[in-house]
Amino acid sequence: MSDDNKPVLKVGVAGLGTVGGGVIKILRDNAALLTQRSGRAMAVTAVSARNRRVDRGFSFDGLTWHDDPVDLAADPNVDVVVELIGGSDGPALLLAQAALKEGKPFVTANKALIARHGEALSALAVEQDAPLRFEAAVAGGIPIIKALSEGLSANTIDRVYAILNGTCNYILSVMEETGAPFEDILADAQKLGYAEADPTFDVDGIDTAHKLAILSSVAFGASLNMDAMFTEGIRHITPHDITFAGELGYKIKLMGVSTLIDDGVMQRVHPCLVSLETAIAHVNGVNNVVVAEGDPIGQTVYQGPGAGEGPTASAVVADLCDVARGATSPILPPPADVPSTYLGMDGHEARYYVRLTVADEPGVMAAITAALRDEDLSIESLIQRSHAAGEPASVLLVTHETNEMKIRRSMERIGGLDVMAAAPVFIRIENL
Ligand code: HSE
């Protein structure tokens, strides 16, 4: 029920790209529903974007236009600032600081901003008693921040693992369906509005790392420290790897994994082989999934669209509803309750998938297995696939559990053999 005595919540929006347009449309199209749900009417009163002349499919009539987004903070006709500019520094950070210093609620979809400056911004928000909300920063339309910070607040969470980048999940899914190479499919993801302004953030795992850092902070109280995270992307994954992984009973997914350990939290982002028998293996396309394991609840799974206009705008507007209801409590914990410690990957224990591209001639297998034997690496299964006559063959193997230092050393040695036609590829198999 709306409270007619409450004044309209006046919203200023900075950034009118895919998500900004979506937010404005939801606020207009669902106005009655949102008023009913949050008990207060909301309306966009002011906007800012780089170029006023672009046709965005909606009218700016009645809205104040600010050339400088930071001016939204001091606009007396703005009660809450929504930041959809992107980037960890520059105007997004200046606007966050200015809005919170004015004591105005700040809502953002900007994972880079929160991952880099979340602790300082949260301290400012607490000092100013102004809410800082970022549901849209992680996993698009999945309300995972709310689930972890509210729904699971009774639990000790000890592991979170997730597919957090819609672009990479889309690329890997389409590579599997079509056999097309990575570069061709990335262009489609950009057209569909999934990718970051700089898509290297998607494909090199940085976007996933930003989101995982935020999840670790909300789930474990871990300090936000991007330097404490191992990050590897998907550029080196080929359609061959996806096909071979399928034959072995796996899918390849870019995952973020965060685990509570004795000295803090271990966080890593990299492609993984996940068994076809797990639910996560079947989360395809632009979808994201987050699995949170805790005590006493056990395992919980959250799945949904992770990028694009509708899902991201849905999460932004949900935060606005919280602001309209009067939310103030901080979501990020005070800094460094639990340290995020970079432990490197040398000690990482796993089974590994290895693909070697070799000359198809006598003695090759003996040289490979000797290098593995010398690192005390045991082979669980091994396949050789010959291609056309004269073409290099593919040797695929899965190791028994070992550690990454042994894998790296043996790959270095195998990579130096004359018979190698390309650098060795290894992918970690995730035990879920
Ligand atoms: N580029 C991001 C993705 C958008 O592909 O998931 C949502 O954060």
Side-chain angles (χ1 to χ4, degrees):
M1 280 283 281
S2 107
D3 178 345
D4 292 338
N5 297 323
K6 282 192 182 167
V8 172
L9 183 74
K10 291 174 277 185
V11 181
V13 180
L16 295 175
T18 311
V19 180
V23 168
I24 289 176
K25 279 182 221 153
I26 295 178
L27 288 176
R28 285 183 178 171
D29 297 351
N30 293 357
L33 183 72
L34 294 170
T35 306
Q36 188 194 33
R37 291 209 170 136
S38 58
R40 186 173 175 186
M42 289 182 254
V44 177
T45 51
V47 292
S48 176
R50 253 185 308 206
N51 187 347
R52 189 174 183 161
R53 274 178 277 282
V54 175
D55 178 11
R56 296 178 169 89
F58 52 85
S59 149
F60 296 131
D61 287 354
L63 307 183
T64 308
W65 178 276
H66 291 283
D67 285 329
D68 182 351
V70 181
D71 291 345
L72 284 168
D75 184 335
N77 209 25
V78 168
D79 301 320
V80 49
V81 173
V82 175
E83 182 274 309
L84 303 167
I85 304 168
S88 61
D89 295 271
L93 178 60
L94 294 173
L95 178 56
Q97 291 165 333
L100 293 170
K101 276 182 191 154
E102 291 278 344
K104 291 189 180 175
F106 182 76
V107 172
T108 181
N110 187 334
K111 47 261 159 172
L113 175 77
I114 297 297
R116 296 272 175 202
H117 303 290
E119 286 175 358
L121 291 175
S122 188
L124 181 58
V126 170
E127 195 182 295
Q128 297 291 98
D129 206 16
L132 167 65
R133 287 290 187 276
F134 46 87
E135 183 63 71
V138 182
I142 308 174
I144 190 61
I145 301 297
K146 201 167 254 274
L148 290 171
S149 60
E150 294 182 22
L152 296 182
S153 53
N155 290 268
T156 305
I157 307 291
D158 49 33
R159 182 165 74 152
V160 172
Y161 57 91
I163 295 173
L164 293 170
N165 186 267
T167 300
C168 286
N169 208 44
Y170 173 84
I171 291 173
L172 293 170
S173 302
V174 181
M175 279 169 84
E176 182 190 351
E177 277 164 31
T178 63
F182 155 85
E183 293 80 9
D184 297 2
I185 307 162
L186 172 60
D188 289 342
Q190 286 176 288
K191 275 188 224 137
L192 289 165
Y194 303 153
E196 295 303 297
D198 176 355
T200 60
F201 273 50
D202 295 296
V203 301
D204 292 333
I206 301 160
D207 178 76
T208 299
H210 286 145
K211 293 168 179 169
L212 186 67
I214 297 170
L215 286 185
S216 299
S217 176
V218 177
F220 309 117
S223 56
L224 280 166
N225 180 3
M226 291 304 296
D227 296 334
M229 187 158 320
F230 174 80
T231 309
E232 179 186 293
I234 63 163
R235 286 179 200 270
H236 59 294
I237 307 292
T238 65
H240 288 313
D241 292 314
I242 293 174
T243 306
F244 294 144
E247 289 173 15
L248 293 164
Y250 297 95
K251 287 258 189 122
I252 300 180
K253 296 290 180 190
L254 180 71
M255 301 245 300
V257 183
S258 191
T259 317
L260 197 59
I261 51 170
D262 287 346
D263 316 337
V265 173
M266 164 76 176
Q267 299 168 85
R268 52 194 166 86
V269 171
H270 52 77
C272 299
L273 265 72
V274 292
S275 165
L276 285 168
E277 285 170 21
T278 60
I280 206 164
H282 302 283
V283 175
N284 293 320
V286 72
N287 286 311
N288 282 189
V289 60
V290 181
V291 181
E293 295 172 344
D295 183 43
I297 193 159
Q299 188 181 79
T300 57
V301 181
Y302 311 84
Q303 183 182 337
E309 176 184 319
T312 314
S314 153
V316 170
V317 175
D319 277 346
L320 285 172
C321 289
D322 271 355
V323 170
R325 291 183 195 112
T328 52
S329 56
I331 289 179
L332 289 173
D337 268 3
V338 179
S340 295
T341 326
Y342 184 65
L343 300 174
M345 289 297 280
D346 279 357
H348 179 68
E349 307 237 326
R351 291 155 62 238
Y352 287 79
Y353 159 96
V354 176
R355 175 169 53 83
L356 305 172
T357 310
V358 299
D360 198 354
E361 60 190 42
V364 170
M365 207 61 90
I368 291 170
T369 52
L372 297 173
R373 178 204 57 210
D374 292 350
E375 284 300 335
D376 198 25
L377 265 167
S378 174
I379 299 170
E380 182 186 287
S381 59
L382 186 146
I383 310 169
Q384 175 172 329
R385 284 286 154 80
S386 294
H387 302 295
E391 291 288 307
S394 297
V395 172
L396 312 161
L397 57 94
V398 172
T399 70
H400 280 294
E401 186 157 308
T402 182
N403 69 46
E404 191 145 329
M405 188 162 36
K406 290 181 178 184
I407 285 284
R408 284 190 188 280
R409 279 204 301 241
S410 59
M411 291 305 113
E412 215 164 283
R413 177 159 156 201
I414 290 170
L417 297 172
D418 288 346
V419 292
M420 293 297 292
V425 170
F426 72 84
I427 309 173
R428 302 161 191 94
I429 299 177
E430 197 64 27
N431 191 12
L432 299 175

